[in-house]
Amino acid sequence: MQAPHQVYMKFSLHIMLATLVAIGLVIAGCTTPGPSAEPEVTILYTRGTGPMPTLLATDQIDGYIAWQPFVEVAPLAGIGKVLAYSGDLPPAGKWQNHPCCVFAARQDAIENSPDLTNALTAALVLSTRYIEQHPNESAEIVADWLAGKGNFTYGDISVSSVEVLQRAFPTVKFVNPPTDDWKRDQLEFVYAQRELGLLSGSLMSSTDPESLDLLFDSRPYYAAAAMIESGTIITPPAQTRQVGVGYLLSDHHAALFVAVKNWQYFEETYGIAIKPRDLTASRPEIADLMVNGQPVAELKLISADAGPQLMQLAATNTIAYALVGNPPAIAAIDKDTPVKIIMAVNLEGSGVVIADDAPADDWESFVEWAESRSAQGKPVIIAAPGKGSIQDVLIRSALEESGLSVKEG
């Protein structure tokens, strides 16, 4: 790791002036913190998770928090170790089974194209059920989508995508029902984002019932569940315009990837499918939503580096639907972006990775290490995929719960 910048000055004035200059430097934050200073950790935002393994391998960061499968890349590559999975972060028990990614839609899509919204929701619910029943096959499908079943490569680092996904899948809980308990758990992120100063609009001081009303519209999920139960998917009117669907390059969004890659099974079994135009592509960009043998919408599948980017695409009506982390969705709704959360996509599925030679093996020893480094004027640097992302909220909350302040790098 490179040492922090040190300032050297020559003093030729009266000792009183020298003292004043020194005091000024302390106030400006240009000197090494004294032993009484609050210990801190630096968070470095990396615009997604892609750069993290390379940054860790080249000692530019001390660790990172990421969504799967990037958590498992580090131990397989021999450059890092998993310090903690997200459900185990402090305070104890708070983040167990925590909400993670959600399926969200623009309000005008829900209101103006209800049958389309219900059908797309049904396709994702059926795909989630398939993942639960066929985890190994689904892991291979995701490996194909993310890396063509080849290796994840970051500079000199190269690891098998299939092996990474097989390790990652058991740490992700794929679920859909927007239960009352799940919705109340979402409020934990509202509270955390308030405390971290990430909310300043309609959710900043809303009551819990007001927050729930602002955040959720579960009607499409229940309509989809009813159609699946009845065995009949209602055919939506054909759309005259292309429909954007956003997602992240993460196994959290396996429901979309499995639905597209295994489209023929879903069409033959349930009469609904997301059929790619290019059947040979590892990562198709255009697909047709097929319902009862009819193409009802041309879908543009758009990936982004992090959740806030997806919500910006929703704000500009570039996408109508998104699989996205819940904190970016919450932050967007706080800013009056016209979106609603329809259902869950997964629970948990993130983790904190630190360098393989770091003197920490659990959260308690990590805090001790961070305090020691901070006292030396060399704060531990942890990368996060974007300000306001679920990983950012999780790590900030855990650090502050442990008495470590956060400095943005």
Side-chain angles (χ1 to χ4, degrees):
M1 298 296 298
Q2 295 181 348
H5 179 60
Q6 297 179 332
V7 180
Y8 297 92
M9 301 186 66
K10 294 181 179 180
F11 298 95
S12 58
L13 299 178
H14 189 274
I15 189 169
M16 179 69 76
L17 179 57
T19 302
L20 292 173
V21 172
I23 292 172
L25 285 172
V26 172
I27 294 173
C30 297
T31 59
T32 301
S36 62
E38 184 179 9
E40 67 180 22
V41 168
T42 297
I43 293 183
L44 176 69
Y45 296 115
T46 56
R47 188 178 171 85
T49 55
M52 292 179 179
T54 300
L55 292 173
L56 185 64
T58 54
D59 295 332
Q60 296 180 68
I61 58 175
D62 298 297
Y64 60 79
I65 182 168
W67 54 73
Q68 291 284 25
F70 296 93
V71 178
E72 305 304 332
V73 168
L76 279 174
I79 61 170
K81 53 190 173 184
V82 179
L83 178 72
Y85 291 106
S86 54
D88 300 322
L89 289 171
K94 178 177 181 178
W95 302 115
Q96 189 173 19
N97 290 322
H98 69 79
C100 186
C101 288
V102 300
F103 180 52
R106 282 181 56 93
Q107 288 176 288
D108 54 3
I110 295 173
E111 298 298 337
N112 299 334
S113 304
D115 290 335
L116 174 67
T117 303
N118 298 344
L120 186 56
T121 302
L124 295 176
V125 169
L126 290 168
S127 184
T128 300
R129 294 182 183 181
Y130 188 91
I131 291 169
E132 292 176 314
Q133 296 166 2
H134 306 88
N136 292 334
E137 179 191 347
S138 298
E140 290 198 20
I141 289 173
V142 176
D144 185 29
W145 190 286
L146 299 181
K149 286 191 180 180
N151 285 0
F152 289 125
T153 301
Y154 312 92
D156 295 332
I157 302 166
S158 187
V159 292
S160 164
S161 63
V162 174
E163 190 174 355
V164 167
L165 266 301
Q166 288 174 341
R167 286 175 58 113
F169 249 53
T171 74
V172 185
K173 301 175 182 180
F174 297 99
V175 298
N176 295 133
T179 65
D180 289 342
D181 286 344
W182 175 78
K183 290 179 180 180
R184 283 192 293 269
D185 287 344
Q186 297 275 6
L187 293 177
E188 291 294 335
F189 284 92
V190 174
Y191 305 150
Q193 287 174 272
R194 285 173 181 166
E195 292 171 5
L196 296 171
L198 298 175
L199 300 181
S200 59
S202 57
L203 289 168
M204 183 174 64
S205 56
S206 55
T207 65
D208 287 355
E210 289 170 340
S211 296
L212 294 172
D213 186 59
L214 287 167
L215 291 171
F216 299 104
D217 187 340
S218 300
R219 290 176 298 168
Y221 169 79
Y222 291 111
M227 289 192 297
I228 293 170
E229 180 67 23
S230 70
T232 302
I233 307 296
I234 296 173
T235 304
Q239 301 295 300
T240 58
R241 298 178 60 184
Q242 190 180 71
V243 178
V245 179
Y247 68 94
L248 300 179
L249 292 172
S250 164
D251 58 1
H252 292 191
H253 298 172
L256 176 63
F257 311 153
V258 170
V260 174
K261 287 290 192 175
N262 216 6
W263 67 271
Q264 194 166 11
Y265 165 82
F266 292 107
E267 184 173 52
E268 293 174 352
T269 307
Y270 301 106
I272 184 170
I274 302 175
K275 181 181 178 180
R277 293 275 179 91
D278 183 351
L279 299 179
T280 65
S282 291
R283 190 185 303 165
E285 295 183 357
I286 303 294
D288 292 306
L289 180 63
M290 307 288 297
V291 180
N292 299 318
Q294 300 180 36
V296 298
E298 179 183 297
L299 305 180
K300 172 72 172 178
L301 308 179
I302 301 173
S303 66
D305 293 322
Q309 291 175 288
L310 288 175
M311 291 295 90
Q312 181 59 34
L313 293 174
T316 58
N317 205 15
T318 303
I319 60 175
Y321 306 94
L323 291 82
V324 63
N326 61 330
I330 291 169
I333 292 167
D334 174 67
K335 297 179 178 64
D336 296 327
T337 301
V339 298
K340 292 284 189 180
I341 296 171
I342 291 175
M343 66 178 184
V345 170
N346 75 292
L347 308 178
E348 297 193 18
S350 296
V352 180
V353 172
I354 57 174
D356 210 35
D357 59 356
D361 294 300
D362 54 29
W363 188 260
E364 183 177 311
S365 56
F366 169 79
V367 172
E368 293 174 357
W369 176 46
E371 290 173 341
S372 175
R373 283 278 300 271
S374 185
Q376 299 169 35
K378 299 183 292 184
V380 167
I381 301 174
I382 300 294
K387 190 168 184 177
S389 65
I390 188 167
Q391 292 74 25
D392 183 39
V393 170
L394 287 167
I395 193 66
R396 281 174 172 266
S397 177
L399 292 171
E400 295 193 2
E401 174 70 21
S402 303
L404 298 168
S405 63
V406 171
K407 177 182 178 182
E408 294 183 16

